[in-house]
Amino acid sequence: MAKLIAFDLDGTLIDSRLDLAGAVNYMRCSMGLEPLETERVVHFVGNGAAALVRRAIADAEIDFDEALHRMRAFYFDHITDTTVLYPGVAAGLKQLRDAGNTLAVVTNKPGKETEKILSQLGVREFFSDVIGGDSDFPLKPEPDALLYLKQKYNVSDSQCWMIGDHYTDLESGRRAGFRRIFLACGFGNTGEEAPDYTAESFSDVSLILSGF
């Protein structure tokens, strides 16, 4: 039976750690602050660009709007300098799409950046919908974007899936009535959420979904 499968982006489809950290540290250095360690920046990811920047400048009194502008401008110009798909993503997406499933991206990253990444990494064609954090829907963990997709494609709860590496993905999936797969190879965490399944790699996602 055809499924509706929604994917998070950062930490799920792509490893974007170095480019995100580079953009944050460019912003900090350009505003007279010391750079942060990459893993500390990665720890700030998951709730959208604004939250990332707020966390990254919490130790300083600088203009937030200017900091956000500098970070996003630099990031857009260097968005796939080092960012890559996780192993198995391209083949896995093709397999899932060719099996008749509807694939979507639901991310807290702004839509323009998301579209550019997916296009430059050669996987945009696999997704019927790409919903970014600056869409008309509230950010995850709110379930609105997932509920919209479920209604749009008229898919039953049992065939709706949310795949992600962070508690925001898992919570939004739970609240929308989706089954949830936690991707443990990403850089988020489950928080207080209990996923239905855990995948150690993207290849495991296809194996899990093939059983339903």
Side-chain angles (χ1 to χ4, degrees):
M1 185 176 295
K3 304 173 183 64
L4 168 62
I5 308 170
F7 296 90
D8 176 46
L9 183 64
D10 296 274
T12 300
L13 300 175
I14 62 171
D15 185 348
S16 52
R17 303 172 207 235
L18 294 180
D19 285 332
L20 285 168
V24 166
N25 282 328
Y26 165 81
M27 172 273 292
R28 283 181 58 90
C29 292
S30 73
M31 301 183 80
L33 304 176
E34 293 292 320
L36 302 175
E37 293 183 356
T38 296
E39 287 309 310
R40 185 175 179 192
V41 176
V42 170
H43 183 69
F44 296 154
V45 174
N47 299 88
L52 169 60
V53 170
R54 287 192 188 280
R55 292 163 180 166
I57 62 172
D59 61 338
E61 294 184 3
I62 59 176
D63 183 79
F64 166 75
D65 290 334
E66 179 62 20
L68 179 61
H69 170 74
R70 293 190 189 192
M71 180 270 179
R72 286 194 62 186
F74 183 89
Y75 183 58
F76 192 76
D77 288 340
H78 299 271
I79 203 161
T80 55
D81 282 2
T82 62
T83 292
V84 294
L85 297 171
Y86 280 112
V89 166
L93 292 175
K94 184 178 188 305
Q95 178 185 3
L96 291 169
R97 192 275 311 271
D98 289 351
N101 301 300
T102 298
L103 310 185
V105 171
V106 179
T107 174
N108 287 344
K109 185 188 288 293
K112 188 176 180 180
E113 284 92 329
T114 300
E115 291 280 2
K116 185 175 183 179
I117 290 171
L118 294 173
S119 295
Q120 291 192 351
L121 296 183
V123 293
R124 176 61 182 87
E125 65 177 290
F126 298 121
F127 300 104
S128 300
D129 297 79
V130 174
I131 299 177
D134 52 357
S135 69
D136 293 334
F137 302 105
L139 298 177
K140 296 174 296 183
E142 297 302 320
D144 301 53
L146 296 180
L147 290 170
Y148 161 78
L149 291 171
K150 180 164 62 172
Q151 182 179 36
K152 177 179 179 179
Y153 293 105
N154 192 28
V155 181
S156 65
D157 285 3
S158 64
Q159 297 303 319
C160 290
W161 293 80
M162 178 68 209
I163 319 298
D165 74 311
H166 201 46
Y167 68 85
T168 52
D169 309 310
L170 302 177
E171 181 179 338
S172 64
R174 172 175 55 77
R175 293 168 66 186
F178 282 44
R179 290 177 172 176
R180 301 160 301 151
I181 300 176
F182 174 67
L183 206 55
C185 61
F187 41 86
N189 63 82
T190 59
E192 297 181 356
E193 294 292 321
D196 298 287
Y197 301 92
T198 295
E200 296 299 328
S201 69
F202 195 87
S203 298
D204 291 342
V205 171
S206 297
L207 292 175
I208 293 169
L209 291 173
S210 67
F212 294 89

